[in-house]
Amino acid sequence: MVRVSRLSAVDLSLSLGKNEGERRLEEAQERLLRLRLHLGGQIGRKELGPPLCVVFEGWDASGKGGAIKRLVAPLDPRHVRVAQFAAPTHDEKRHHFLWRFWPVLPGWGGMAVLDRSWYGRVLVERVEGFATEEQWQRAYEEVVQFERTLAAEGMLIVKFWMHVSEEEQLGRFRSRAADPLKTWKLTDEDWRNRERRAEYEDAVEEMLERTDHRAGRWTVVPGDDKRWARVAVVERVCEAVEAELDRRGWDLSAG
């Protein structure tokens, strides 16, 4: 079966001017703040809303950090948890690969933002050989069932793949290398991963195809223009929360 490429279908030319970008971002952030207060029971119905988990994956230098920063900027730090995941530690490797993610998941009325996630098993661990083929092949169904279990308990899961072109990524790498305040963001591993982009693209395409399900849809964000990407992320989270609360019969005009 020929796999339909979701990455090649993304329009990376999408962009926003400075004024429009700032206006839409401010509007989306204000909208998100109100929704977050609804979820936490601070306004509107005095009950806790469903847990909200926002998952970020993407290319190196694709703008995950910048998007996360804008997403959580309007929120009280007590109302959101940001968790970043790198390679598993020696102790974490002794457990099932999903084990280390449980402690950061939000409870009712809570919100968590994950900078990389359980999808590492079918991305970097697959491509770099840190997981056997049997392990990463099995992981697609394990992840889908994991997310379905969380959703059945009430969690709202919003997943992003931040997508940038090879040319834009190279430009950002070079910019980081030339800036003393940003060189820490660039590692030898980033350059090495870039050389294997074709292998990673295959892994990403299969991930998007096999783990996109009703309880955990993927949104592929065009990221060559940072303003567009940041606005798209905040607006998408707002849309997802509004749709879920509307499905539950919440009156968002209250408060």
Side-chain angles (χ1 to χ4, degrees), residues 41-246:
Q42 282 91 9
I43 62 173
R45 297 168 61 148
K46 300 305 179 182
E47 63 183 271
L48 297 178
L52 171 61
C53 186
V54 186
V55 175
F56 282 85
E57 295 287 351
W59 298 109
D60 295 325
S62 60
K64 294 183 297 297
I68 291 171
K69 180 178 180 180
R70 274 69 182 181
L71 180 66
V72 304
L75 308 179
D76 189 307
R78 295 171 293 180
H79 295 165
V80 61
R81 169 190 287 171
V82 178
Q84 184 179 35
F85 291 95
T89 65
H90 173 75
D91 184 58
E92 289 169 341
K93 290 178 181 178
R94 298 171 53 236
H95 300 268
H96 188 278
F97 78 96
L98 290 172
W99 174 81
R100 64 181 178 138
F101 301 103
W102 277 101
V104 304
L105 295 177
W108 283 86
M111 176 179 177
V113 178
L114 276 56
D115 184 350
R116 299 204 182 277
S117 67
W118 41 85
Y119 285 101
R121 174 54 59 105
V122 296
L123 293 173
V124 65
E125 292 183 39
R126 164 185 169 169
V127 175
E128 302 298 337
F130 299 141
T132 66
E133 182 172 358
E134 188 277 333
Q135 288 175 323
W136 61 258
Q137 286 282 8
R138 189 182 71 229
Y140 296 110
E141 184 61 23
E142 289 178 311
V143 164
V144 170
Q145 291 303 325
F146 173 62
E147 293 178 352
R148 285 175 175 163
T149 297
L150 297 175
E153 185 65 17
M155 185 175 293
L156 173 59
I157 304 170
V158 184
K159 303 187 300 192
F160 293 107
W161 175 263
M162 306 298 288
H163 188 46
V164 292
S165 64
E166 288 188 69
E167 298 75 19
E168 178 64 22
Q169 184 188 53
L170 179 59
R172 293 182 186 181
F173 276 20
R174 288 173 172 168
S175 177
R176 288 181 177 183
D179 187 343
L181 298 180
K182 294 183 179 180
T183 53
W184 64 272
K185 293 184 176 183
L186 189 64
T187 67
D188 291 340
E189 184 177 324
D190 293 331
W191 288 106
R192 188 167 57 250
N193 290 348
R194 177 176 164 78
E195 293 176 358
R196 306 186 70 174
R197 179 160 174 134
E199 294 173 73
Y200 274 100
E201 282 191 356
D202 288 342
V204 173
E205 293 284 10
E206 188 164 4
M207 176 194 73
L208 294 174
E209 178 183 331
R210 297 182 63 178
T211 63
D212 188 75
H213 57 100
R214 188 172 65 178
R217 295 294 185 196
W218 279 105
T219 297
V220 181
V221 179
D224 275 15
D225 182 78
K226 293 181 180 180
R227 288 195 194 98
W228 177 276
R230 293 164 179 173
V231 169
V233 163
V234 184
E235 289 182 343
R236 172 68 188 111
V237 172
C238 290
E239 291 166 0
V241 174
E242 287 168 348
E244 179 63 17
L245 294 184
D246 181 68

